[in-house]
Amino acid sequence: MRYISTRGKAPALGFEDVLLTGLATDGGLYVPESLPHFSLEEIRSWRGLSYSELAFKVMYPFVEDAVPADDFRSMLDDTYQVFAHDAVAPLVQLDTNEWVMELFRGPTLAFKDFALQLLGRLLDYVLEKRNQHVVIMGATSGDTGSAAIEGCRKCKHVDIFILHPHERVSEVQRRQMTTVTGDNIHNIAIRGNFDDCQRMVKASFGDQSFLGGKTQLAAVNSINWARIMAQIVYYFHASLALGGPDRSMAFSVPTGNFGDIFAGYLARQMGLPISQLVIATNRNDILHRFLSGNRYEQHQLEHTISPSMDIMVSSNFERLLFDLLGRNGDEVRSLLEEAQSGPVSIEDYRWKHMRKLFDSAAIDDDTTCAMIREIFEHNEYLLDPHTAIGVKAARLCRRDKAVPMITLGTAHPAKFPDAVARSGVVSQPSLPKHLSDLFEREERFTVLDHDLKTVQQFMAEHWKHA
């Protein structure tokens, strides 16, 4: 399988190179040249498979040119054995035909573990084969950083630099990153917001000369195709658990960078019956405004109680635009360049085509707290603020109550104790046993100004072979 850039000017690459490259040389994101497609009969035959067995069926077509089947199976078994539930992604029922899929049973209590536990193993495999070293550079609004560090900290051939917005992630999120020891782990707190961090990451991938030609950058953000690939699996998992593929499913996805919901779109393109995808977001609602009014326009970023969605520039939306614009890289590039200076729209028929599948809702903090409270009072089930936004959006946008509606439960409530306390249901949600001493662990991080040269100089001086 070959991978092409959403902006049409970079060379097509195989899986190994896409894994290590991240951002394409033309500034675009890599997507498969074509997708595998599974028949209903084939999907039906996967009923009863374990999560790792299902993951092999869904993902192997994307990697078969790079990783032998037995090696990939072993990698997947190792990846999902570290999850704290035998089902890996258990489904919890809230009401008639209404479910939450718990994607927070991994080591860092967030859905990012599904992809990043695998990504670390893929990187180790490929880098060992090539005898190559890379520097991982990533930006996080809270969850990606800890999942990336946990997934890649044992990799022999990497240094890890994670940028997070200073004092704009929850204390649990920060400590999950900054208390992990290792000479190859570097946490950088940027005096700015997530979009500032993400822009510096993209600029660094565009010009890597600050590394002196001695190594290269690798991506752990959802610009890395391997992240998206791993997230496709749990849409198949949920469907098969609830009667699919003989019945269609609807999903509500709390999203900021659009990667998790784009994976659902791909699952549908690969043959899984999905009738509706709900974009659930907070006050940073650029995706909702585009979907509801065909106007893509950046506003000032706001700080909310759902910080993992405090994102205004949704990187993975470019991957969907690529399909919406007929896979025309020139049009994608032109539209996104125009969007940097003002609002943009797409042709009305393309926008209406998108709306056949997607709905959206933007939920404010007070409504989020009310949703946490309502679900706890009715079900004695505690939601984190992001999942609460997903459940509320699902109820606002649901088209057909005969179709199962599954909200992706993206994080454990203990990661956001302030939001849970504000809802008034629990004063302090408990951390799982393996993190019970988190607040006693020593932290290590460096606070830097929002300045690209300063960050790049720090990285050049601190990777282990510098």
Side-chain angles (χ1 to χ4, degrees):
M1 181 177 287
R2 304 292 286 172
Y3 294 84
I4 57 176
S5 169
T6 53
R7 302 197 185 182
K9 301 299 183 185
L13 299 177
F15 177 77
E16 275 192 23
D17 290 319
V18 165
L19 177 72
L20 298 178
T21 301
L23 200 66
T25 53
D26 59 3
L29 306 182
Y30 279 107
V31 292
E33 203 165 36
S34 60
L35 288 170
H37 189 274
F38 307 116
S39 67
L40 295 182
E41 182 179 8
E42 187 172 7
I43 297 170
R44 196 179 295 118
S45 73
W46 297 343
R47 289 174 179 166
L49 293 182
S50 69
Y51 193 92
S52 63
E53 290 169 335
L54 176 63
F56 178 83
K57 296 288 188 182
V58 173
M59 283 193 279
Y60 194 62
F62 295 112
V63 306
E64 61 184 341
D65 295 337
V67 186
D70 288 345
D71 290 348
F72 193 56
R73 281 195 177 94
S74 177
M75 226 178 283
L76 292 170
D77 288 343
D78 290 345
T79 293
Y80 297 113
Q81 278 176 2
V82 303
F83 281 63
H85 196 292
D86 288 346
V88 182
L91 288 148
V92 174
Q93 188 167 11
L94 297 182
D95 205 339
T96 304
N97 257 357
E98 184 182 20
W99 306 80
V100 168
M101 179 164 52
E102 294 185 340
L103 301 179
F104 49 78
R105 299 297 191 130
T108 72
L109 314 184
F111 78 97
K112 310 290 177 76
D113 287 324
F114 279 83
L116 286 164
Q117 284 292 316
L118 176 60
L119 180 63
R121 288 166 172 82
L122 283 166
L123 282 172
D124 225 19
Y125 181 89
V126 170
L127 292 171
E128 181 71 26
K129 185 167 70 171
R130 293 184 171 199
N131 192 27
Q132 183 179 347
H133 181 277
V134 297
V135 171
I136 289 173
M137 184 182 187
T140 184
S141 55
D143 290 331
T144 291
S146 57
I149 289 168
E150 184 63 32
C152 302
R153 64 187 175 89
K154 295 180 181 178
C155 296
K156 294 183 291 184
H157 300 279
V158 304
D159 282 273
I160 310 168
F161 293 83
I162 299 295
L163 283 61
H164 72 267
H166 186 43
E167 297 180 341
R168 293 198 173 185
V169 300
S170 78
E171 186 177 5
V172 173
Q173 286 178 311
R174 187 191 74 240
R175 285 178 172 274
Q176 283 186 291
M177 295 185 282
T178 61
T179 60
V180 180
T181 58
D183 292 339
N184 65 333
I185 298 167
H186 306 275
N187 284 284
I188 304 173
I190 298 296
R191 295 187 179 99
N193 59 40
F194 170 78
D195 287 338
D196 296 327
C197 298
Q198 186 163 250
R199 275 191 288 268
M200 284 193 282
V201 170
K202 287 185 175 181
S204 298
F205 272 86
D207 181 1
Q208 301 185 26
S209 58
F210 69 98
L211 294 171
K214 299 175 183 177
T215 186
Q216 73 173 70
L217 293 180
V220 291
N221 282 64
S222 52
I223 61 173
N224 191 314
W225 164 254
R227 284 273 310 271
I228 304 295
M229 174 186 79
Q231 291 167 320
I232 296 169
V233 178
Y234 44 68
Y235 288 90
F236 283 87
H237 165 79
S239 175
L240 288 165
L242 297 176
D246 297 321
R247 62 194 306 208
S248 188
M249 302 287 153
F251 292 88
S252 178
V253 187
T255 190
N257 228 0
F258 204 75
D260 213 11
I261 195 164
F262 182 69
Y265 164 80
L266 292 177
R268 185 175 187 264
Q269 297 295 98
M270 292 164 65
L272 187 67
I274 296 176
S275 59
Q276 184 185 17
L277 290 170
V278 178
I279 299 167
T281 189
N282 59 21
R283 293 199 309 274
N284 298 296
D285 61 348
I286 186 170
L287 296 170
H288 171 62
R289 285 184 280 111
F290 176 75
L291 191 67
S292 57
N294 193 13
R295 184 180 175 90
Y296 189 85
E297 180 182 18
Q298 297 179 28
H299 288 176
Q300 184 69 33
L301 193 74
E302 295 189 47
H303 186 46
T304 73
I305 63 169
S306 47
S308 298
M309 298 193 295
D310 288 349
I311 298 170
M312 190 55 66
V313 180
S314 300
S315 292
N316 283 290
F317 190 57
E318 178 169 338
R319 284 182 160 120
L320 181 65
L321 279 176
F322 184 58
D323 278 7
L324 290 175
L325 297 176
R327 308 207 115 196
N328 186 319
D330 289 335
E331 283 195 37
V332 172
R333 185 173 60 255
S334 176
L335 185 75
L336 293 175
E337 286 174 355
E338 190 181 342
Q340 293 178 8
S341 56
V344 296
S345 301
I346 61 175
E347 294 97 331
D348 192 59
Y349 77 94
R350 298 186 191 274
W351 175 69
K352 287 179 177 176
H353 177 72
M354 179 184 177
R355 293 208 48 162
K356 290 180 181 178
L357 176 62
F358 290 93
D359 287 291
S360 65
I363 311 300
D364 63 27
D365 285 354
D366 288 343
T367 307
T368 301
C369 288
M371 194 76 253
I372 295 173
R373 195 160 50 246
E374 179 181 338
I375 295 299
F376 191 80
E377 289 172 353
H378 288 206
N379 302 77
E380 293 190 4
Y381 186 72
L382 189 59
L383 301 175
D384 89 287
H386 306 80
T387 308
I389 286 172
V391 172
K392 183 63 176 180
R395 293 182 173 187
L396 290 173
C397 299
R398 194 170 186 178
R399 298 176 185 176
D400 185 350
K401 289 192 175 182
V403 174
M405 171 60 80
I406 304 148
T407 295
L408 271 55
T410 53
H412 193 289
K415 298 193 79 162
F416 305 96
D418 293 343
V420 172
R422 180 171 162 179
S423 71
V425 295
V426 177
S427 59
Q428 183 72 38
S430 299
L431 284 163
K433 184 179 179 180
H434 74 280
L435 290 172
S436 59
D437 65 342
L438 182 65
F439 291 94
E440 300 164 20
R441 301 176 189 174
E442 182 183 353
E443 289 191 86
R444 295 189 312 162
F445 65 99
T446 304
V447 181
L448 296 178
D449 288 334
H450 169 220
D451 178 75
L452 181 61
K453 288 186 178 179
T454 300
V455 171
Q456 290 181 340
Q457 182 178 347
F458 178 88
M459 293 176 62
E461 292 173 353
H462 286 85
W463 71 281
K464 61 188 172 190
H465 297 302

